[in-house]
Amino acid sequence: MKKGTLKQILLITDGCSNKGEDPAATAALANQQGITVNVIGILDDQTEQPEGLQEVEEIALSGGGVSQLVYKQVLSQTVQAVTKQAMTQTLQGFVNKELQQILGSGQSMEDLAPEKRGEIMEVVEDMGETCDLEVLVLIDTSASMHDKLPTVKEALIDLSISLNSRIGRNRFCIYSFPGKKKDIQKVFDWSPQLDAISTVFPKLTSGGITPTGPAIREAMYQFGRKSLRRRFRNGNEPGVEEA
């Protein structure tokens, strides 16, 4: 199976969007472009039945990703778990498509004998360790997130440490929303590691409304712009072709 790059948007938010287009619709658009949208909804300690956080599940469902509602105390473990679970889910979908081409439409891993299914899951796990991974972390910094941002920062450092143990290459970037002048604002540009994010933490300040839909759309574009910049650089080098 061909080694590729898994692309994820990891949206961290605490509530309902209140400006712009439907975020579930923009998540579906991102998924059509090969970008999985995962969502972590952060709950207040006192919240028992959070209002508006149904949107978290709807965004992830439309974006082909994983959703999780958590209290901020366990956010760090959840960020790692959701990212890895989404990788496995995406790879399983890829394997199912390959199986349909081999075995015919309507066939999936669930239709195989347990031994064969186990063998394929080993392949999926191996691909999860060796494929390249690009994660754009999209952080809701609206006013209600003020008390949760320190926990978000810690979680992102732990995510970097966890994923850097993989064999495959990692690339991360961080955007926040709402931006000062645009829907999103770049906090940390594409990099192999998040180790240096402590230097940009002061940029994560809270305030304003929650334009989740437009933010997802703008986040989706950042993957394309990165590829265009790489193609432009490669175009000036003889003998280099874009895969």
Coordinates of all heavy atoms in Angstrom, one line a residue, residues 75-128:
L75 N -7.7 17.0 29.6 CA -7.5 17.4 28.2 C -6.3 16.9 27.6 O -6.3 16.4 26.4 CB -7.5 18.9 28.1 CG -7.4 19.5 26.7 CD1 -8.5 19.1 25.8 CD2 -7.2 21.0 26.8
S76 N -5.2 16.8 28.3 CA -3.9 16.4 27.7 C -4.0 15.0 27.2 O -3.6 14.8 26.0 CB -2.8 16.5 28.8 OG -1.6 16.1 28.2
Q77 N -4.5 14.1 28.0 CA -4.6 12.7 27.5 C -5.5 12.6 26.3 O -5.3 11.8 25.4 CB -5.0 11.7 28.6 CG -4.2 11.8 29.8 CD -4.8 12.7 30.9 OE1 -4.8 13.9 30.7 NE2 -5.2 12.1 32.0
T78 N -6.6 13.4 26.4 CA -7.6 13.3 25.3 C -7.1 13.8 24.0 O -7.4 13.2 22.9 CB -8.9 14.2 25.7 OG1 -9.3 13.7 27.0 CG2 -10.0 14.0 24.7
V79 N -6.3 14.9 24.0 CA -5.7 15.4 22.7 C -4.9 14.3 22.0 O -5.0 14.1 20.8 CB -4.9 16.6 23.0 CG1 -4.1 17.0 21.8 CG2 -5.8 17.8 23.3
Q80 N -4.1 13.6 22.8 CA -3.3 12.5 22.2 C -4.2 11.4 21.7 O -4.0 10.9 20.6 CB -2.3 12.0 23.3 CG -1.3 13.0 23.8 CD -0.5 12.4 24.9 OE1 0.0 11.3 24.8 NE2 -0.2 13.2 25.9
A81 N -5.2 11.0 22.5 CA -6.0 9.9 22.2 C -6.9 10.2 20.9 O -7.0 9.3 20.0 CB -7.0 9.5 23.3
V82 N -7.4 11.4 20.8 CA -8.3 11.7 19.7 C -7.4 11.7 18.4 O -7.8 11.3 17.4 CB -9.0 13.1 19.9 CG1 -9.5 13.6 18.6 CG2 -10.1 12.9 20.9
T83 N -6.2 12.3 18.5 CA -5.4 12.4 17.3 C -5.0 11.0 16.8 O -5.1 10.7 15.6 CB -4.1 13.2 17.7 OG1 -4.4 14.5 18.1 CG2 -3.2 13.3 16.4
K84 N -4.6 10.1 17.7 CA -4.3 8.7 17.3 C -5.5 7.9 16.8 O -5.4 7.2 15.9 CB -3.6 8.0 18.5 CG -2.2 8.6 18.8 CD -1.5 7.8 19.9 CE -0.1 8.4 20.1 NZ 0.6 7.7 21.2
Q85 N -6.6 8.1 17.5 CA -7.8 7.4 17.1 C -8.3 7.8 15.7 O -8.7 7.0 14.9 CB -9.0 7.7 18.1 CG -10.2 6.9 17.8 CD -11.4 7.3 18.8 OE1 -11.1 7.9 19.9 NE2 -12.6 6.9 18.5
A86 N -8.1 9.1 15.4 CA -8.5 9.6 14.1 C -7.6 9.1 13.0 O -8.0 8.8 11.9 CB -8.5 11.2 14.1
M87 N -6.3 8.9 13.4 CA -5.4 8.3 12.4 C -5.8 6.9 12.1 O -5.9 6.5 10.9 CB -3.9 8.3 13.0 CG -3.3 9.7 13.1 SD -1.7 9.6 14.1 CE -0.8 8.4 13.1
T88 N -6.1 6.1 13.1 CA -6.5 4.7 12.9 C -7.8 4.7 12.1 O -7.9 3.9 11.1 CB -6.7 4.0 14.2 OG1 -5.5 4.1 15.0 CG2 -7.1 2.6 14.0
Q89 N -8.8 5.6 12.4 CA -10.0 5.6 11.7 C -9.9 5.9 10.2 O -10.5 5.3 9.4 CB -11.0 6.6 12.4 CG -12.4 6.7 11.8 CD -13.3 7.6 12.6 OE1 -13.6 7.3 13.7 NE2 -13.7 8.7 12.0
T90 N -9.0 6.9 10.0 CA -8.7 7.3 8.6 C -8.1 6.2 7.8 O -8.4 5.9 6.7 CB -7.8 8.5 8.5 OG1 -8.5 9.6 9.3 CG2 -7.6 9.0 7.1
L91 N -7.1 5.5 8.4 CA -6.4 4.4 7.8 C -7.3 3.2 7.5 O -7.2 2.6 6.5 CB -5.2 4.0 8.6 CG -4.0 5.0 8.6 CD1 -3.0 4.6 9.7 CD2 -3.4 5.1 7.3
Q92 N -8.2 3.0 8.5 CA -9.2 1.9 8.3 C -10.1 2.2 7.1 O -10.4 1.3 6.3 CB -10.0 1.7 9.5 CG -9.3 1.0 10.7 CD -10.1 0.8 11.9 OE1 -11.2 1.5 12.0 NE2 -9.7 0.0 12.8
G93 N -10.5 3.4 7.0 CA -11.3 3.8 5.8 C -10.5 3.6 4.5 O -11.1 3.1 3.5
F94 N -9.3 3.9 4.5 CA -8.4 3.8 3.3 C -8.3 2.3 3.0 O -8.4 1.9 1.8 CB -7.0 4.4 3.6 CG -6.0 4.0 2.5 CD1 -6.0 4.6 1.3 CD2 -5.0 3.1 2.8 CE1 -5.1 4.3 0.3 CE2 -4.1 2.8 1.9 CZ -4.1 3.4 0.6
V95 N -8.1 1.4 4.0 CA -7.9 0.0 3.8 C -9.2 -0.6 3.3 O -9.2 -1.4 2.4 CB -7.5 -0.7 5.1 CG1 -7.6 -2.2 5.0 CG2 -6.1 -0.3 5.5
N96 N -10.4 -0.1 3.8 CA -11.6 -0.6 3.3 C -11.8 -0.3 1.8 O -12.4 -1.1 1.1 CB -12.8 0.0 4.1 CG -13.1 -0.8 5.4 OD1 -12.8 -2.0 5.4 ND2 -13.6 -0.2 6.4
K97 N -11.4 0.9 1.4 CA -11.5 1.2 0.0 C -10.7 0.3 -0.9 O -11.1 -0.1 -2.0 CB -11.1 2.7 -0.2 CG -12.1 3.7 0.3 CD -11.7 5.1 0.0 CE -12.7 6.1 0.6 NZ -12.2 7.5 0.4
E98 N -9.4 0.0 -0.4 CA -8.5 -0.9 -1.1 C -9.2 -2.3 -1.2 O -9.1 -2.9 -2.2 CB -7.2 -1.0 -0.4 CG -6.4 0.3 -0.4 CD -5.7 0.5 -1.7 OE1 -5.0 -0.3 -2.2 OE2 -6.0 1.6 -2.3
L99 N -9.8 -2.7 -0.1 CA -10.4 -4.1 -0.1 C -11.6 -4.1 -1.1 O -11.8 -5.2 -1.7 CB -10.9 -4.4 1.3 CG -9.8 -4.8 2.3 CD1 -10.5 -5.0 3.7 CD2 -9.1 -6.0 1.9
Q100 N -12.3 -3.0 -1.2 CA -13.5 -3.0 -2.1 C -13.0 -3.2 -3.6 O -13.6 -3.8 -4.4 CB -14.3 -1.7 -1.9 CG -15.1 -1.7 -0.6 CD -15.9 -0.4 -0.5 OE1 -15.9 0.4 -1.4 NE2 -16.5 -0.2 0.7
Q101 N -11.8 -2.6 -3.8 CA -11.3 -2.7 -5.2 C -10.8 -4.1 -5.5 O -10.9 -4.6 -6.6 CB -10.1 -1.7 -5.4 CG -10.5 -0.3 -5.4 CD -9.4 0.7 -5.6 OE1 -8.2 0.2 -5.8 NE2 -9.6 1.9 -5.6
I102 N -10.3 -4.8 -4.4 CA -9.8 -6.2 -4.6 C -10.9 -7.2 -4.5 O -11.0 -8.1 -5.4 CB -8.8 -6.5 -3.5 CG1 -7.6 -5.5 -3.6 CG2 -8.3 -7.9 -3.5 CD1 -6.6 -5.6 -2.4
L103 N -11.8 -7.0 -3.5 CA -12.9 -8.0 -3.3 C -14.2 -7.7 -3.9 O -15.1 -8.5 -4.0 CB -13.0 -8.2 -1.8 CG -11.8 -8.6 -1.0 CD1 -12.1 -8.7 0.5 CD2 -11.3 -10.0 -1.5
G104 N -14.4 -6.5 -4.3 CA -15.7 -6.0 -4.9 C -16.4 -5.1 -3.9 O -16.1 -5.1 -2.7
S105 N -17.3 -4.3 -4.5 CA -18.0 -3.4 -3.7 C -18.8 -4.0 -2.6 O -19.3 -5.2 -2.8 CB -18.9 -2.5 -4.6 OG -19.9 -3.3 -5.2
G106 N -19.0 -3.4 -1.5 CA -19.8 -3.9 -0.4 C -19.0 -4.7 0.6 O -19.5 -5.1 1.6
Q107 N -17.7 -4.9 0.3 CA -16.8 -5.7 1.2 C -16.0 -4.7 2.1 O -15.6 -3.7 1.7 CB -15.8 -6.5 0.4 CG -16.5 -7.6 -0.5 CD -17.2 -8.7 0.3 OE1 -16.6 -9.2 1.2 NE2 -18.4 -9.0 -0.1
S108 N -15.8 -5.1 3.3 CA -15.0 -4.3 4.3 C -14.3 -5.3 5.2 O -14.5 -6.5 5.1 CB -15.9 -3.4 5.1 OG -16.8 -4.1 5.9
M109 N -13.5 -4.7 6.1 CA -12.8 -5.6 7.1 C -13.7 -6.4 7.9 O -13.3 -7.6 8.3 CB -11.9 -4.7 8.0 CG -10.6 -4.2 7.3 SD -9.5 -3.6 8.6 CE -10.2 -2.0 9.0
E110 N -14.9 -5.9 8.2 CA -15.8 -6.7 9.1 C -16.3 -8.0 8.4 O -16.7 -8.9 9.1 CB -17.0 -5.8 9.4 CG -16.7 -4.7 10.4 CD -15.9 -3.6 9.9 OE1 -15.9 -3.4 8.6 OE2 -15.1 -3.0 10.6
D111 N -16.2 -8.0 7.1 CA -16.6 -9.2 6.3 C -15.5 -10.3 6.3 O -15.8 -11.4 5.8 CB -17.0 -8.9 4.9 CG -18.1 -7.8 4.9 OD1 -19.1 -8.0 5.7 OD2 -18.0 -6.9 4.1
L112 N -14.3 -10.0 6.7 CA -13.2 -11.0 6.7 C -13.2 -11.9 7.9 O -13.8 -11.6 8.9 CB -11.9 -10.2 6.6 CG -11.7 -9.3 5.4 CD1 -10.4 -8.5 5.5 CD2 -11.7 -10.1 4.1
A113 N -12.5 -13.0 7.7 CA -12.4 -13.9 8.8 C -11.5 -13.2 9.9 O -10.7 -12.4 9.6 CB -11.7 -15.2 8.4
P114 N -11.7 -13.6 11.2 CA -11.0 -12.9 12.3 C -9.5 -12.9 12.1 O -8.9 -11.9 12.4 CB -11.4 -13.8 13.5 CG -12.8 -14.3 13.2 CD -12.7 -14.6 11.7
E115 N -8.9 -14.0 11.6 CA -7.5 -14.0 11.4 C -7.0 -13.0 10.4 O -6.0 -12.3 10.6 CB -7.0 -15.4 11.0 CG -7.7 -16.6 11.6 CD -9.0 -17.0 11.0 OE1 -8.9 -17.4 9.8 OE2 -10.0 -16.8 11.6
K116 N -7.7 -12.9 9.3 CA -7.4 -12.0 8.2 C -7.6 -10.5 8.7 O -6.8 -9.6 8.5 CB -8.2 -12.2 7.0 CG -7.8 -13.4 6.2 CD -6.5 -13.3 5.6 CE -6.1 -14.5 4.8 NZ -4.7 -14.5 4.3
R117 N -8.7 -10.3 9.5 CA -8.9 -9.0 10.0 C -7.8 -8.6 11.0 O -7.4 -7.4 10.9 CB -10.3 -9.0 10.8 CG -10.9 -7.6 11.0 CD -12.2 -7.7 11.7 NE -13.0 -8.8 11.2 CZ -13.9 -9.5 12.0 NH1 -13.9 -9.3 13.3 NH2 -14.6 -10.4 11.5
G118 N -7.3 -9.5 11.8 CA -6.2 -9.2 12.7 C -5.0 -8.8 11.9 O -4.2 -7.9 12.3
E119 N -4.7 -9.5 10.8 CA -3.5 -9.2 10.0 C -3.6 -7.8 9.4 O -2.6 -7.1 9.4 CB -3.4 -10.3 8.9 CG -3.0 -11.7 9.4 CD -3.0 -12.7 8.3 OE1 -3.0 -12.2 7.1 OE2 -2.9 -13.9 8.5
I120 N -4.8 -7.5 9.0 CA -5.0 -6.2 8.4 C -4.8 -5.1 9.4 O -4.3 -4.0 9.2 CB -6.3 -6.1 7.6 CG1 -6.3 -7.0 6.4 CG2 -6.7 -4.7 7.2 CD1 -7.5 -7.0 5.6
M121 N -5.4 -5.3 10.6 CA -5.2 -4.3 11.7 C -3.8 -4.1 12.1 O -3.4 -3.0 12.4 CB -6.0 -4.7 12.9 CG -7.5 -4.5 12.8 SD -7.9 -2.8 12.2 CE -7.2 -1.8 13.6
E122 N -3.0 -5.1 12.0 CA -1.5 -5.0 12.2 C -0.9 -4.1 11.2 O -0.1 -3.2 11.5 CB -0.8 -6.3 12.2 CG -1.1 -7.2 13.4 CD -0.3 -8.5 13.4 OE1 0.6 -8.6 12.5 OE2 -0.7 -9.4 14.2
V123 N -1.4 -4.2 9.9 CA -0.9 -3.3 8.8 C -1.3 -1.9 9.1 O -0.5 -0.9 8.9 CB -1.4 -3.8 7.5 CG1 -1.1 -2.8 6.4 CG2 -0.9 -5.2 7.1
V124 N -2.6 -1.7 9.6 CA -3.1 -0.4 9.9 C -2.3 0.3 11.0 O -1.9 1.4 10.9 CB -4.6 -0.4 10.3 CG1 -5.0 0.9 10.9 CG2 -5.5 -0.8 9.1
E125 N -2.0 -0.5 12.0 CA -1.1 0.0 13.1 C 0.2 0.4 12.6 O 0.8 1.4 13.1 CB -1.0 -1.0 14.2 CG -2.4 -1.2 15.0 CD -2.3 -2.3 16.0 OE1 -1.1 -2.8 16.3 OE2 -3.3 -2.7 16.6
D126 N 0.8 -0.4 11.8 CA 2.1 -0.1 11.2 C 2.1 1.2 10.4 O 3.0 2.0 10.5 CB 2.6 -1.3 10.4 CG 4.0 -1.0 9.8 OD1 5.0 -0.9 10.6 OD2 4.1 -0.9 8.6
M127 N 1.0 1.3 9.6 CA 0.9 2.5 8.8 C 0.7 3.7 9.7 O 1.2 4.8 9.3 CB -0.3 2.4 7.8 CG -0.1 1.4 6.7 SD -1.7 1.0 5.8 CE -2.0 2.6 5.1
G128 N 0.0 3.6 10.8 CA -0.1 4.7 11.7 C 1.2 5.2 12.3 O 1.3 6.3 12.7

